Amino acid sequence: MKKTTLLLTLLSTLVFAKFNVVASYPYLGEIIQKIGGDQVKVKVLASAKYDPHFVIPKPSLIPTIVRADMLVANGAGLEIGWLPPLLKSANNPKVRIGSEGFVDASRTIRLMNVPKSVSRSMGDIHPEGNPHFDTDPHNVLPIAKLVAKKLMTLDAAHKSVYAHNLKTFTQKWQTFLKGFDAKMKSCKGKKVIQYHELYNYLLKRYGIRSFDSIEPLPGISPSSKHTLELIHKMNKEHITTILQDPYHEKKTAKFIAAKTGAKVVILPHDVGAVSGTKSLEAFYNTIAERLCH
Amino acid sequence: MTKKILLLSLCASTSLFAQSELEELKALLAQQMKTTQALQKRVVQLEKKQTRQTKETKKQAREVQQAKKQIAVVQNTQEATPTVQAAGTFDQKSFLPDISLILDTSYVSRSEKDEALKHLEIPGIAHGIMGEHSHGDGHSHAPLNAHDGFNLNYAEVAMQSNVDPYLSLTGIFHLSEDNFEIEEAYGETTGLGYGLKAKIGKFRSDFGRINSQHQHVQDFSDMPLVYTAFLGGHGIDDIGAQIQWTLPTDTYIMAGFEALQGKNPTMYGTDAIAPEGDEETIVVDSPNQPNLLIAYLKSSFDIDNTTFLYGASVAYGESRLNHLTDEEPHAFVAKSYLYGADLTIKHYFDSYSYLTFQGEYLYRDMDGDTYTYTDASKTSFNSTPTTKEQGGYYAQLVYALDRNYRFGLRYDNINTNDITKNGLSLTTEDNFDRYTAMIDYTPSEFTRFRLQYNQNNAMFNEEGERQHIDSLILEMNLAIGAHGAHTF
């Protein structure tokens, strides 16, 4: 009798093992955790400390994908340099591109900066549009809804849990957004330049004007010619803020700041990119505080 | 005056359009007008509703916008209708595979003349590995950077796409000035599950570490010396099948097995041995094919910002090495094992800066017979029992300063060369080394310039004297099109 119960409990742990969800970036991991709660085991592939375009496809990430029941990617080409070879090595039918378990978050977002035509002479541009929509907190809920929908389909046994979690999270997030919008109000009309076009979604929503980027073209290292043009432009337009991400070199931004008297503001691009941004709320609050003070 | 012109132009235009077309157009226009009116009505309705109900405002506003958009679209098409053609009906453009072209070209300055290189050898191990060499069938073959001056190493055309929900197809074609080579062409599973993956076709084996890497992702302009000496410039690139299994463990452990034809002309080979010009008098049969079996185990783990990847590989096959057309005609028939151990350690300083160590040790054990002609008539053979136990390694260090600059150092050595004939060991050299240094500059992800210097002390001339060959290589590698990302 004891043996059978033991066997049964063993079996049940196997059968009722947690639902494995893999996220490409930390912010997606946070969203999945909010919706999945205790029912899911979340693993994040990329570290927020590094450039999201250049994540190293470490072999140690393969077993995680092999065991995944669902994979949530940012999409819009952001993972193109590292996720495809990992998916290929893992050969997991559950998260194969095009399968139900491969979730592309960018599908819920109306993408900005969609180029009319593309050529590599324009630098390393994404034909799909700007993939850095995670810097705008208003994009969290559409993604959360998609994640919930997918979880409810793929792990139907816990449908009600996911529905409940989504409801709770939606309410909480709407309250958060109200507070966030209020914080950002003071920033309206601010003029900035950024290193890479990482913050366009946020800037557009809150009426902040981005004049240019330190990179002459996306993915191309700064050139002295372009930097001098920037300095000229900033002096002429009275631009006083340089938005710098944590992972690019900061020398150019500091140089421009010294020549123009502008302030370099280091904004996180993802959850955990700078210290004190462990949660979604802290991540966005840090952005608001650093940008609007 | 204007009225007259208008009238005239109207007449002209009506005569230009055939009557039936005009009617069609009119009908279309009428229909679209109707749609427009209907949509406009809907807008008005919605706008009215909007003022009444405040709760659903947002949703309706969106609807209004959509309706307005539809009107715009309809109005646009109204103007464009006559020119709309169904040109895209069976268009398959979106099914085009990812296609890319990679060009590799170099300028070489070498201390030896091209013709002298051909006759150099690593005694008892390899000959003709530098410079152009002929396979005896009129098909000559040059390794990369073979010539003094400019070299067109290759133009690589790669295509890749999913075949269906189960398989993907990859084709990699190496085009050189006079040759077309299928470097790889294989079907691969995309979702086999249980950590399994299978491949069938021609592909670069996953034996060791560098063997599966394409030239344009390798850190130096030439293959490690031990690879070139044991397996030739292409490594193990053969026709067959591969199955790999990633174990269900937290740590990455992958076991792989491959069955290949074993056509590698430097170490294996599948052709029967027969005297030159007399293919019917077979002295040694061809081996059973697939002739080459390969197994390997790889594992990887991370400690903070450092990744460790290591593996062990073994290959077994029969050798049929036919050098009967050489200056000293001989053939070597053996049962041959090749063992490999590899270690890669990569430490990341930030997103773009890293330091990588990569090293491999290869060891081979060949046990068989050497066949030589008994006399000048070249009809009968003497066979001499021969064994070869040879080993060598390379170790390289590459430092990436930022996204644009990398520096690398490599040391090559073949340090074991034990050969016995008739059970007696021969006195042989066993210290064949080479030093390499490189700097590369990558202005964008699709362009790379590399300057490489190496001093090769491994080659001997026909008098048995060691040569010191200096090579300076300036290599340019360009890529266009859609080329998939590379593995670690």
Side-chain angles (χ1 to χ4, degrees):
Chain A
M1 186 58 205
K2 260 188 185 172
K3 262 189 184 166
T4 29
T5 36
L6 210 87
L7 255 169
L8 269 174
T9 44
L10 262 172
L11 264 172
S12 64
T13 48
L14 274 175
V15 173
F16 299 108
K18 280 189 179 179
F19 194 72
N20 288 312
V21 189
V22 174
S24 60
Y25 298 109
Y27 86 95
L28 291 169
E30 284 297 307
I31 296 174
I32 299 162
Q33 196 64 71
K34 300 267 184 203
I35 307 303
D38 297 334
Q39 298 306 325
V40 300
K41 195 173 163 195
V42 182
K43 285 220 170 169
V44 177
L45 299 174
S47 157
K49 290 200 180 94
Y50 297 126
D51 186 337
H53 306 80
F54 295 98
V55 177
I56 294 136
K58 296 179 195 173
S60 58
L61 301 174
I62 297 167
T64 310
I65 302 177
V66 166
R67 279 198 297 269
D69 296 305
M70 178 173 141
L71 188 147
V72 186
N74 183 89
L78 193 54
E79 291 101 344
I80 198 163
W82 61 277
L83 191 55
L86 288 175
L87 289 172
K88 199 174 165 183
S89 298
N91 240 264
N92 181 349
K94 287 182 185 166
V95 298
R96 182 172 47 80
I97 296 169
S99 69
E100 190 69 29
F102 182 85
V103 184
D104 179 345
S106 72
R107 294 296 152 102
T108 64
I109 310 291
R110 182 171 293 171
L111 295 177
M112 287 173 64
N113 317 122
V114 180
K116 286 208 176 72
S117 68
V118 290
S119 161
R120 295 256 164 86
S121 63
M122 302 164 178
D124 205 355
I125 55 168
H126 298 277
E128 301 91 334
N130 188 323
H132 307 292
F133 45 78
D134 71 308
T135 48
D136 178 2
H138 284 266
N139 289 333
V140 166
L141 282 182
I143 299 170
K145 270 179 206 153
L146 176 68
V147 167
K149 200 182 128 203
K150 287 286 183 177
L151 281 173
M152 287 190 265
T153 327
L154 294 168
D155 185 24
H158 301 103
K159 206 171 168 177
S160 57
V161 179
Y162 301 134
H164 177 258
N165 288 349
L166 175 66
K167 208 177 148 196
T168 320
F169 178 65
T170 306
Q171 282 169 357
K172 230 176 110 186
W173 199 252
Q174 275 163 349
T175 320
F176 174 79
L177 285 177
K178 265 182 209 153
F180 187 82
D181 289 351
K183 276 183 211 164
M184 291 296 292
K185 236 177 199 164
S186 61
C187 264
K188 202 177 170 185
K190 201 167 187 159
K191 295 173 176 178
V192 301
I193 64 157
Q194 38 185 339
Y195 193 101
H196 180 76
E197 296 195 339
L198 274 172
Y199 308 103
N200 284 6
Y201 290 85
L202 177 85
L203 301 179
K204 193 191 170 199
R205 184 173 303 277
Y206 296 104
I208 301 165
R209 275 187 72 190
S210 175
F211 278 75
D212 211 332
S213 54
I214 293 179
E215 287 179 326
L217 293 167
I220 304 287
S221 304
S223 68
S224 50
K225 182 171 166 258
H226 181 71
T227 304
L228 292 176
E229 281 168 9
L230 269 182
I231 292 170
H232 179 72
K233 191 185 260 181
M234 288 176 73
N235 284 331
K236 203 176 131 203
E237 301 279 351
H238 307 291
I239 303 164
T240 52
T241 308
I242 303 167
L243 302 185
Q244 168 80 39
D245 53 72
Y247 59 84
H248 275 113
E249 52 87 19
K250 293 166 189 69
K251 257 196 335 224
T252 317
K254 279 180 190 158
F255 175 79
I256 297 170
K259 296 282 174 194
T260 57
K263 204 174 90 184
V264 181
V265 177
I266 295 176
L267 286 191
H269 62 289
D270 201 339
V271 171
V274 300
S275 64
T277 56
K278 278 266 148 61
S279 68
L280 280 171
E281 288 87 349
F283 164 52
Y284 292 113
N285 280 333
T286 307
I287 290 181
E289 278 156 25
R290 292 193 179 183
L291 187 54
C292 297
H293 268 277
Chain B
M1 186 61 196
T2 38
K3 265 188 184 175
K4 258 189 187 173
I5 292 171
L6 245 167
L7 215 81
L8 259 168
S9 58
L10 250 172
C11 276
S13 65
T14 44
S15 62
L16 276 173
F17 287 101
Q19 194 64 32
S20 59
E21 259 180 73
L22 227 162
E23 267 167 20
E24 241 174 70
L25 278 174
K26 271 182 187 167
L28 259 171
L29 254 166
Q31 209 185 324
Q32 275 162 358
M33 293 266 268
K34 260 186 200 169
T35 345
T36 317
Q37 278 165 359
L39 284 167
Q40 264 165 346
K41 243 184 214 169
R42 175 122 182 83
V43 172
V44 173
Q45 274 175 356
L46 284 170
E47 274 171 343
K48 266 183 197 167
K49 255 192 193 171
Q50 200 183 15
T51 48
R52 263 181 294 161
Q53 299 170 326
T54 43
K55 263 194 176 176
E56 286 181 84
T57 332
K58 268 195 181 172
K59 198 179 160 195
Q60 279 165 2
R62 222 181 295 142
E63 274 182 65
V64 171
Q65 253 183 355
Q66 266 173 2
K68 275 183 180 168
K69 253 192 204 162
Q70 276 175 25
I71 292 171
V73 168
V74 169
Q75 279 168 347
N76 274 338
T77 46
Q78 264 178 2
E79 284 156 30
T81 309
T83 56
V84 165
Q85 295 293 327
T89 308
F90 297 112
D91 192 7
Q92 301 215 44
K93 238 180 291 173
S94 45
F95 293 112
L96 268 183
D98 292 346
I99 301 175
S100 61
L101 176 68
I102 294 171
L103 173 73
D104 194 87
T105 178
S106 67
Y107 174 81
V108 176
S109 173
R110 198 169 268 136
S111 62
E112 274 306 315
K113 286 279 177 199
D114 290 356
E115 60 273 17
L117 286 178
K118 284 186 214 175
H119 303 290
L120 300 181
E121 60 170 353
I122 304 177
I125 298 174
H127 49 146
I129 57 170
M130 286 181 89
E132 198 165 356
H133 58 276
S134 168
H135 285 308
D137 52 1
H139 167 84
S140 73
H141 192 84
L144 302 179
N145 311 307
H147 303 288
D148 218 12
F150 288 105
N151 289 266
L152 178 70
N153 286 329
Y154 58 82
E156 177 187 300
V157 177
M159 293 186 207
Q160 210 267 328
S161 189
N162 281 342
V163 177
D164 55 25
Y166 321 107
L167 294 167
S168 70
L169 173 61
T170 304
I172 293 167
F173 311 111
H174 259 214
L175 290 81
S176 52
E177 252 187 300
D178 311 306
N179 290 316
F180 173 91
E181 272 176 88
I182 296 184
E183 175 160 282
E184 293 193 287
Y186 58 85
E188 190 175 20
T189 59
T190 54
L192 208 52
Y194 312 103
L196 289 166
K197 180 166 83 84
K199 217 186 229 188
I200 293 178
K202 185 179 182 187
F203 53 86
R204 297 175 75 119
S205 166
D206 265 321
F207 180 99
R209 171 76 176 133
I210 207 166
N211 193 75
S212 63
Q213 289 179 339
H214 289 134
Q215 197 272 342
H216 66 99
V217 293
Q218 290 174 11
D219 296 321
F220 292 86
S221 299
D222 44 13
M223 281 284 269
L225 188 65
V226 64
Y227 265 92
T228 324
F230 287 5
L231 297 163
H234 295 276
I236 304 173
D237 181 13
D238 209 342
I239 305 165
Q242 176 195 71
I243 184 137
Q244 296 186 336
W245 182 44
T246 305
L247 273 67
T249 47
D250 279 329
T251 311
Y252 172 72
I253 303 171
M254 188 269 277
F257 179 76
E258 293 169 9
L260 305 171
Q261 281 298 84
K263 296 204 289 189
N264 183 297
T266 316
M267 185 158 164
Y268 292 101
T270 51
D271 293 337
I273 305 284
E276 195 188 350
D278 182 12
E279 267 72 50
E280 282 171 25
T281 322
I282 285 167
V283 184
V284 184
D285 288 346
S286 61
N288 289 331
Q289 292 164 55
N291 172 35
L292 184 59
L293 302 176
I294 296 174
Y296 41 80
L297 204 63
K298 293 167 198 280
S299 178
S300 174
F301 63 89
D302 302 320
I303 297 176
D304 291 331
N305 296 325
T306 311
T307 296
F308 296 79
L309 172 67
Y310 45 94
S313 314
V314 58
Y316 170 75
E318 290 195 26
S319 300
R320 297 285 186 276
L321 304 174
N322 189 333
H323 298 290
L324 292 172
T325 54
D326 285 13
E327 286 159 65
E328 286 174 53
H330 67 281
F332 184 46
V333 174
K335 293 186 188 304
S336 302
Y337 287 91
L338 179 68
Y339 304 94
D342 61 89
L343 171 67
T344 305
I345 305 170
K346 189 167 186 168
H347 177 77
Y348 324 100
F349 300 104
D350 58 42
S351 288
Y352 316 108
S353 179
Y354 60 82
L355 181 69
T356 307
F357 167 84
Q358 182 177 319
E360 281 188 71
Y361 179 74
L362 294 190
Y363 181 83
R364 69 177 179 182
D365 184 349
M366 304 171 89
D367 192 347
D369 297 285
T370 306
Y371 289 78
T372 45
Y373 290 122
T374 41
D375 51 47
S377 66
K378 297 188 176 179
T379 46
S380 55
F381 286 101
N382 276 332
S383 77
T384 319
T386 306
T387 65
K388 290 186 178 190
E389 288 172 19
Q390 297 160 329
Y393 62 92
Y394 71 91
Q396 65 187 43
L397 214 53
V398 174
Y399 172 63
L401 175 71
D402 53 28
R403 279 178 79 170
N404 305 126
Y405 289 98
R406 301 195 315 156
F407 308 91
L409 290 172
R410 180 180 65 187
Y411 177 68
D412 279 292
N413 197 349
I414 296 173
N415 59 345
T416 309
N417 186 17
D418 300 332
I419 301 172
T420 66
K421 284 201 168 168
N422 274 326
L424 298 168
S425 52
L426 304 185
T427 39
T428 47
E429 292 280 345
D430 59 4
N431 179 27
F432 307 102
D433 62 351
R434 184 174 72 175
Y435 300 84
T436 312
M438 74 88 188
I439 300 176
D440 66 26
Y441 171 60
T442 320
S444 78
E445 275 202 73
F446 311 100
T447 300
R448 187 183 59 222
F449 297 100
R450 178 184 288 150
L451 183 66
Q452 176 177 308
Y453 164 77
N454 69 33
Q455 188 187 49
N456 188 341
N457 305 319
M459 309 303 288
F460 284 68
N461 66 10
E462 282 156 321
E463 282 77 47
E465 292 160 348
R466 191 187 284 269
Q467 305 294 301
H468 302 281
I469 305 158
D470 297 305
S471 310
L472 195 67
I473 303 172
L474 181 61
E475 185 191 21
M476 180 179 77
N477 192 286
L478 305 177
I480 55 169
H483 192 78
H486 294 280
T487 50
F488 181 79

